[in-house]
Amino acid sequence: MGRVYLVGAGPGAPDLLTLRAAEILERAEVVFHDALVHPQTLALAAHALKILVGKRSGRLSTAQSFINKRLVDAARKHGVVVRLKGGDPLLFGRAQEEIDALRKAGIDFEIVPGVTAATAAGAELGVSLTRRGLARHVAFVTPRAGRGERENDWAASVLAADTAVIYMGAGLAEAISAELIGRGKPKATPLVLVESATLPERRILRGTLADLPALALKAGSGPAVLLLGEVLRDALADRAVVAIPEIQAHLRRA
Amino acid sequence: MGRVYLVGAGPGAPDLLTLRAAEILERAEVVFHDALVHPQTLALAAHALKILVGKRSGRLSTAQSFINKRLVDAARKHGVVVRLKGGDPLLFGRAQEEIDALRKAGIDFEIVPGVTAATAAGAELGVSLTRRGLARHVAFVTPRAGRGERENDWAASVLAADTAVIYMGAGLAEAISAELIGRGKPKATPLVLVESATLPERRILRGTLADLPALALKAGSGPAVLLLGEVLRDALADRAVVAIPEIQAHLRRA
């Protein structure tokens, strides 16, 4: 019986993987990965069978129950099985369904946390999500809910928080903007949409909460987060762009 | 003129550093670091002058304005200057004050995000902070505020969120518990205190919101996060303990 590692691949750039994740990938015999995992990250698993089970909202994807079953089956045949997810597996990664299936089957597992898109996006903007005197609480939310789920009052969380980061929200821009403004969030609240954070194709679209639908129309199809709150005010000016890291240089050691 | 790298050292274990951070540390000429950064992480900066400017709440620490000045001065003398902070620099890391000082002085800088304590703690518990049908929003908050800061309604954020993670809260356990219960959060809300997450000395204390003051008395002086919400319910049983990773094995490549 093997062990299953639920591993966070980080926000996009392959060198934002942790040392621990890299070491596990090098030993991996099987890797079940999402569509968004970078090819250079997958390449670290040089000896592994790589199986795409990726989920992307609105696209065809492997049913969760089938992924669960494959993880359990793989752990019965192999020593080191990796489930590699973009970002951090415990933030919007649907990890709990896999954890529960592994526990139920008596399979040993370990979770390797990763860098999540929210702080990666903040890093590219040069904006701290918290700030003494201005932002002492941050909400990470998604407005998406599956069929039959209980009501998801994501907006209450955004309204209560000093800073909010909305995951998987770019496709719901109209509804997000209308809901938050309708419930009293100022239209002029600074908002930045960061698409494909940390990757060469990343895009940064700046505006206000009222501009969100227009900004989302300009965005592409890459994964995006919306950052919202007073901490973003300085980032609305162009001067706030931070140098794009030299990814290749950092990867020399990977 | 050099570049200043504001680098997240991750939640504690040295192999939860990113590949990018490791590569930068290897090139570093000067490293200004917090007290909580692991010695093995610092050791990666083999050629650097290492300067402790650590802050720990309630202890003597270097004034922020003096740290800012030293970063600027160092970047004028050296090529690669690192400011190494525990966790992620953009979550409760006071990074904005340093970013603003660097911008004002015209110093080039780059932010390297890290794994934050919230998801590292969740990883050790085997609990996803989000969960379809149960938790679609997570608040990261601190009840701490500096003198003269505007009112910090951290509790509103906790009350609105499905899952909450409270940073730097163990020393304020009585006040946190009383405030949240007084404002309607159920006393029986599952709560877990994770101290020194990802380190060999880590401690996990399980209970409910009403138990928080008693749990905090049992905790030591290590950095702690409080996780609160229905997603923690299964983690209250002992069966939910996840294997402690073999840190040394993962570090072979570091």
Side-chain angles (χ1 to χ4, degrees), chain B residues 43-88:
Chain B
L44 293 173
H47 314 294
L49 178 66
K50 296 164 192 93
I51 301 168
L52 173 66
V53 291
K55 307 192 149 288
R56 285 215 53 193
S57 103
R59 301 196 185 175
L60 275 178
S61 63
T62 315
Q64 187 62 52
S65 59
F66 187 61
I67 297 175
N68 298 349
K69 186 179 179 312
R70 291 188 77 173
L71 286 176
V72 169
D73 289 349
R76 287 180 173 145
K77 280 184 217 148
H78 301 281
V80 180
V81 176
V82 173
R83 175 70 176 101
L84 189 60
K85 292 165 179 280
D88 185 293

Side-chain angles (χ1 to χ4, degrees), chain B residues 119-159:
Chain B
T119 60
E124 301 216 321
L125 297 170
V127 171
S128 180
L129 304 183
T130 62
R131 186 166 190 167
R132 278 168 70 91
L134 186 63
R136 303 305 273 165
H137 29 106
V138 185
F140 291 4
V141 316
T142 183
R144 296 203 178 267
R147 251 178 270 176
E149 281 188 33
R150 78 183 176 97
E151 199 187 337
N152 164 16
D153 195 359
W154 59 271
S157 228
V158 173
L159 292 166

Side-chain angles (χ1 to χ4, degrees), chain A residues 3 5 11 13-24 26-27 44 88-97 99-100 103 108-116 118-147 149-150 152-157 160-162 168 198 231 234 239-247 249-254, chain B residues 3 5 11 13-24 26-27 44 88-97 99-100 103 108-116 118-147 149-150 152-157 160-162 168 198 231 234 239-247 249-254:
Chain A
R3 177 181 278 194
Y5 296 83
D15 64 346
L16 289 174
L17 192 75
T18 64
L19 299 172
R20 184 180 298 178
E23 188 272 331
I24 292 167
E26 284 169 11
R27 289 191 286 119
L44 293 173
D88 185 292
L90 304 187
L91 287 170
F92 311 111
R94 298 190 62 173
Q96 198 65 50
E97 291 150 270
I99 292 166
D100 291 347
R103 280 215 177 99
D108 190 26
F109 70 93
E110 180 181 325
I111 301 167
V112 181
V115 173
T116 190
T119 60
E124 300 217 322
L125 297 170
V127 172
S128 181
L129 305 184
T130 61
R131 186 168 189 163
R132 280 166 69 91
L134 185 64
R136 303 304 273 166
H137 29 106
V138 185
F140 291 4
V141 317
T142 183
R144 295 202 178 268
R147 251 178 269 176
E149 281 189 34
R150 77 182 178 98
N152 164 16
D153 196 0
W154 59 272
S157 227
D162 291 329
M168 297 174 282
T198 79
V231 295
D234 288 348
R239 70 168 181 84
V241 182
V242 179
I244 298 182
E246 298 118 36
I247 291 176
H250 294 309
L251 269 174
R252 279 186 308 234
R253 62 168 289 128
Chain B
R3 176 181 279 195
Y5 296 82
D15 64 345
L16 289 175
L17 191 75
T18 64
L19 299 170
R20 184 180 297 177
E23 188 272 332
I24 293 166
E26 284 169 11
R27 289 191 287 120
L44 293 173
D88 185 293
L90 303 186
L91 287 169
F92 310 112
R94 297 189 63 172
Q96 199 65 50
E97 290 149 273
I99 292 167
D100 291 346
R103 280 217 177 98
D108 189 27
F109 70 93
E110 180 182 325
I111 302 166
V112 181
V115 173
T116 190
T119 60
E124 301 216 321
L125 297 170
V127 171
S128 180
L129 304 183
T130 62
R131 186 166 190 167
R132 278 168 70 91
L134 186 63
R136 303 305 273 165
H137 29 106
V138 185
F140 291 4
V141 316
T142 183
R144 296 203 178 267
R147 251 178 270 176
E149 281 188 33
R150 78 183 176 97
N152 164 16
D153 195 359
W154 59 271
S157 228
D162 291 329
M168 297 175 282
T198 78
V231 295
D234 288 348
R239 70 170 182 82
V241 182
V242 179
I244 297 181
E246 297 117 39
I247 291 176
H250 294 309
L251 269 173
R252 280 185 308 232
R253 60 169 290 126

